[in-house]
Amino acid sequence: MAFLELRNLSVDYLMGAQRVHAVDGVSFPVEKGDSVGIVGESGSGKSTLGLALLRLLGEPTAEVRGEALLEGMDLLTLAEKDLQELRWRRMAAVFQKSMNALSPVHKIGKQMADVYRVHHPEASREQAKQRALETLRQVNLAERVYTSYPHELSGGMMQRVSIALSLLNHPDLIIFDEATTALDVVTQGQILKEIQYLERELGLTRLMITHDISVVAASCSHVAVMYAGRLMEYGPTAKVLRSPRHPYTQGLLRAYPSLRGEKTGMQGIPGALPDLKEEIPGCVFAPRCPWATEDCRQRRPEEVTIEAGWRASCPRAVEGREPDA
Amino acid sequence: MKRYVARRLLTGLLTVVVVMVLNFVIIHAAPGDPVRIMAGMEHPSEAQMEELRVRFGLDKPLWQQLFIYMGQVARGDLGTSYTYNTPVLSLIADTLGPSALLALTSCVLSFLIGTLLGLFTARHQGSWIDSTLSYVSYFFDSMPPFWLGLVSILVFASTLHLLPTSGMVNLRAQNTGWALGVDIATHLILPCGTMTLIQIPGYLRLTRSSVSQVMQEDYITTFRATGMSEKQIFRKYVLKNAILPTITVFGISLAYVVTGAALVEIVFAWPGIGRLMLNAINRRDYPLLMGIYLMLSVSVAVVTLAVDLLYAWIDPRIRLK
């Protein structure tokens, strides 16, 4: 069994009598040491997926189904007490808006020490401080950050603080939710490099939720492409990005400019996201897919395996040819 | 920090001077002639009125009067009241104590009770206590203080005979020491209770919505994800962030402590500055009115500064370098 295994994970948001199918039957394995990029446009359900794993979705408004097995333990059904125990020790997170990731009226160091002591209540103030300073050094921040307030730091520095915070209690798995999105490309590049270095040093497994394929290309071993709450394609980054099999992945890649290589025209995907409140019997991408057949619209496509560890939910994927653009 | 305080003191002083000039002009421009009222007759003779005008310096042009007044104030003299024929300073000094006692007590009480209730309802949103308190708070919020005062007199003093109707001390008893303290406290219950009840709803709703807002902040999500207990998150992180707007409102209400209670003071015949002010307005007692307004603007300036300093101490984001 994989280190982390998502099986048929679904999340519905309940809005009055309506159900929004934010995540719909997503399954993929994550091996220890893997770094999996979850990409998709806004509203594809990628952030919801991350929050569901962290069990941070509000109970009355969100209904989570399926399984998320962390070394065989189902994160979704774990008792509250065990969950609190596991949080930050096994699974930590770095969130999108790092400027708001910590309380603005408390010093950064104090908050880090507090978080450390949640799981090490026996640790002295000094021990907690030492551990916090250690993680700050790991992300190349000066010691003075410990006595600073969040507003005294730049966005990039706060992002590093968020990463340091996630490392505090030696987690195995870190979920990055759009963690580098708000940064300029230079800072983003540096931080991605540092993350990869730390990953190798500390043996971390990483889920990287992002809408930026270049982030995935630069830093992830695997990629999961999501669209309208469903998994379109999953496989090793190098293979998926070089020869995408799912029409949606192909479209997504065509919509990105490339720095090197031939100068080709950029192309958007015509159409818009479907209404997630409706039950869609067939493929969610069918209305925007140039190759959609009547069958695609009627029946949910089965996942096809292209090769071991690489699959896509489209019958065309197995043919393995890039359709004429 | 020192420079910040010095700068704030200077702007505060400037504000007070500007307010003084404005007040002077507005009060003198308002209709009503103090001389006519002082003469105390339906049709005073021209000569009598002229005599009074000269005596109080009201015959001089307005700008001259203003300079004379400013000069007086600079020397620490607020002038003599037309109607009481007593120095304004001593009139204010006599009434300031009772006013501050009533207003400060109710300000602090309503701040404490309102904030605590707000925190409680925020933690138990949707519970029956929450909805009951929300109805009750709307009830008191929409009630005029003088009316609540009258009703409470009717119920607790006239009908139940539990508490005195008005005043600050029992003049017949001539109490001293402990007995005097107890006497003042019993007289304080109704007016102070009235003002407290009126002010609680504001704090309650402000705190409740402030807490709900802070609970939505990203850093609360971070702390939840770390496995920190809800209790610790609330006590340590929600509280300090949510209390900030409450402190601002507390500061504003403190600034109006002295005059805000005027109507309640009148209903309960409380010997405070609010009552003095209304009398001064009715009788066009310019020096007294100016003196009270000056006091008010000084107290607003001082309290605003104090609240800003307190704020800067709690919220590092607005600390100026």
Side-chain angles (χ1 to χ4, degrees):
Chain A
M1 170 171 297
F3 174 66
L4 173 70
E5 182 129 13
L6 306 192
R7 287 184 187 165
N8 226 358
L9 184 71
S10 299
V11 181
D12 287 353
Y13 286 118
L14 307 177
M15 296 166 65
Q18 284 176 325
R19 263 169 191 275
V20 178
H21 308 288
V23 177
D24 192 352
V26 170
S27 311
F28 61 83
V30 179
E31 296 298 339
K32 197 158 175 60
D34 273 1
S35 44
V36 179
I38 302 174
V39 283
E41 50 196 292
S42 306
S44 61
K46 53 191 195 301
S47 278
T48 302
L49 181 85
L51 290 175
L53 290 178
L54 292 161
R55 283 267 291 269
L56 287 174
L57 291 167
E59 284 294 332
T61 51
E63 192 184 287
V64 184
R65 278 169 280 114
E67 288 174 293
L69 305 171
L70 183 70
E71 292 189 326
M73 238 180 335
D74 190 355
L75 294 174
L76 305 181
T77 55
L78 209 59
E80 194 64 33
K81 193 177 140 288
D82 299 326
L83 179 72
Q84 293 297 68
E85 192 65 13
L86 172 142
R87 280 180 163 160
W88 234 244
R89 282 155 70 100
R90 305 293 316 273
M91 173 176 68
V94 179
F95 293 105
Q96 179 168 16
K97 287 182 239 147
S98 57
M99 276 324 268
N100 299 329
L102 287 174
S103 163
V105 298
H106 296 83
K107 284 185 179 160
I108 288 168
K110 206 172 148 310
Q111 304 189 51
M112 291 182 78
D114 270 354
V115 168
Y116 181 70
R117 275 157 48 131
V118 166
H119 298 289
H120 295 86
E122 76 293 342
S124 68
R125 237 163 242 289
E126 189 51 36
Q127 281 171 316
K129 182 181 177 181
Q130 286 313 320
R131 176 62 192 147
L133 289 175
E134 199 180 329
T135 57
L136 287 175
R137 275 195 297 275
Q138 279 176 325
V139 295
N140 298 326
L141 283 173
E143 283 202 358
R144 69 167 180 88
V145 169
Y146 188 84
T147 49
S148 302
Y149 288 97
H151 71 281
E152 294 170 335
L153 304 186
S154 70
M157 287 169 92
M158 270 313 285
Q159 197 56 68
R160 289 196 161 93
V161 169
S162 290
I163 296 169
L165 186 78
S166 74
L167 297 174
L168 270 176
N169 296 71
H170 307 282
D172 309 311
L173 171 70
I174 303 186
I175 298 175
F176 288 76
D177 186 359
E178 298 276 12
T180 55
T181 303
L183 302 177
D184 62 272
V185 277
V186 177
T187 315
Q188 174 174 300
Q190 284 170 355
I191 289 185
L192 285 179
K193 266 208 189 99
E194 286 168 25
I195 291 173
Q196 284 171 283
Y197 173 77
L198 286 170
E199 212 164 71
R200 279 193 301 275
E201 287 291 294
L202 308 171
L204 299 170
T205 306
R206 168 166 52 103
L207 287 188
M208 194 89 177
I209 296 163
T210 178
H211 63 259
D212 190 346
I213 286 189
S214 64
V215 167
V216 176
S219 73
C220 296
S221 64
H222 290 71
V223 57
V225 181
M226 285 185 69
Y227 176 75
R230 296 189 195 171
L231 185 65
M232 299 286 106
E233 187 162 358
Y234 178 85
T237 310
K239 290 180 176 164
V240 173
L241 296 192
R242 201 160 294 144
S243 51
R245 295 303 178 89
H246 196 288
Y248 176 68
T249 319
Q250 290 162 359
L252 201 60
L253 285 170
R254 268 201 300 278
Y256 265 82
S258 159
L259 268 186
R260 289 183 216 98
E262 290 169 56
K263 210 172 176 182
T264 50
M266 265 184 15
Q267 221 178 317
I269 307 172
L273 272 172
D275 184 356
L276 296 179
K277 286 195 281 286
E278 278 163 27
E279 298 287 342
I280 299 162
C283 172
V284 277
F285 188 58
R288 294 170 84 179
C289 176
W291 296 278
T293 61
E294 198 44 39
D295 196 42
C296 289
R297 283 182 249 276
Q298 296 305 325
R299 226 160 37 80
R300 193 163 169 161
E302 283 184 19
E303 283 205 331
V304 294
T305 303
I306 296 132
E307 55 178 73
W310 184 6
R311 54 211 169 75
S313 26
C314 180
R316 289 178 56 84
V318 78
E319 295 163 27
R321 73 185 153 85
E322 175 108 27
D324 327 304
Chain B
M1 200 65 180
K2 260 188 203 145
R3 269 189 57 195
Y4 173 61
V5 176
R7 217 173 59 201
R8 291 301 312 267
L9 274 173
L10 198 71
T11 46
L13 192 72
L14 209 70
T15 316
V16 169
V17 172
V18 171
V19 168
M20 237 169 85
V21 174
L22 277 177
N23 275 339
F24 193 88
V25 174
I26 291 171
I27 289 172
H28 284 77
D33 185 355
V35 172
R36 198 167 274 279
I37 296 168
M38 276 186 282
M41 278 184 281
E42 195 85 4
H43 299 290
S45 74
E46 241 349 281
Q48 194 183 3
M49 292 202 344
E50 194 49 43
E51 164 66 28
L52 283 169
R53 265 194 201 104
V54 173
R55 195 161 128 205
F56 292 106
L58 292 167
D59 54 334
K60 298 192 178 76
L62 195 61
W63 63 268
Q64 224 172 345
Q65 290 183 41
L66 174 64
F67 275 105
I68 292 170
Y69 181 73
M70 298 285 259
Q72 266 180 16
V73 172
R75 288 191 303 272
D77 177 13
L78 294 185
T80 305
S81 158
Y82 297 160
T83 47
Y84 293 88
N85 206 12
T86 324
V88 168
L89 210 53
S90 75
L91 281 173
I92 291 177
D94 286 347
T95 48
L96 197 60
S99 263
L101 176 69
L102 172 60
L104 273 179
T105 319
S106 64
C107 256
V108 172
L109 274 181
S110 51
F111 170 70
L112 290 178
I113 299 174
T115 307
L116 284 176
L117 286 178
L119 290 176
F120 182 83
T121 50
R123 288 222 68 177
H124 300 87
Q125 270 182 42
S127 68
W128 67 269
I129 303 182
D130 179 27
S131 37
T132 313
L133 275 176
S134 132
Y135 280 121
V136 173
S137 85
Y138 275 112
F139 182 70
F140 283 111
D141 208 14
S142 52
M143 200 175 280
F146 64 87
W147 187 82
L148 184 61
L150 288 172
V151 171
S152 64
I153 290 176
L154 202 64
V155 174
F156 295 100
S158 306
T159 313
L160 297 173
H161 299 291
L162 287 174
L163 294 163
T165 28
S166 62
M168 189 169 81
V169 286
N170 186 349
L171 290 171
R172 288 190 203 111
Q174 299 281 344
N175 288 316
T176 46
W178 251 123
L180 181 66
V182 173
D183 189 32
I184 292 177
T186 16
H187 280 84
L188 191 62
I189 292 174
L190 281 186
C192 181
T194 303
M195 285 182 59
T196 308
L197 275 178
I198 297 287
Q199 290 180 79
I200 283 177
Y203 288 111
L204 189 152
R205 282 206 303 276
L206 182 68
T207 312
R208 187 180 181 276
S209 68
S210 174
V211 169
S212 324
Q213 204 183 332
V214 170
M215 296 292 267
Q216 306 286 318
E217 292 283 350
D218 290 344
Y219 50 84
I220 300 301
T221 313
T222 312
F223 289 128
R224 286 207 176 112
T226 65
M228 198 181 281
S229 70
E230 286 292 316
K231 210 190 236 171
Q232 194 185 348
I233 293 174
F234 193 85
R235 288 205 183 143
K236 205 147 190 187
Y237 292 104
V238 176
L239 211 57
K240 196 169 172 190
N241 279 290
I243 210 85
L244 292 172
T246 328
I247 289 173
T248 314
V249 171
F250 180 62
I252 294 170
S253 79
L254 268 189
Y256 292 96
V257 141
V258 179
T259 44
L263 284 177
V264 174
E265 283 183 2
I266 287 164
V267 168
F268 289 96
W270 192 263
I273 206 166
R275 214 167 51 147
L276 194 67
M277 182 176 78
L278 275 182
N279 286 338
I281 292 173
N282 284 334
R283 297 180 190 160
R284 304 292 184 278
D285 192 339
Y286 291 161
L288 182 55
L289 208 47
M290 281 299 300
I292 293 173
Y293 284 166
L294 180 64
M295 257 279 314
L296 176 65
S297 55
V298 169
S299 72
V300 170
V302 169
V303 172
T304 313
L305 177 64
V307 170
D308 281 354
L309 292 180
L310 178 69
Y311 221 79
W313 178 60
I314 297 180
D315 189 343
R317 283 169 297 180
I318 57 170
R319 239 169 253 173
L320 294 181
K321 300 263 156 57

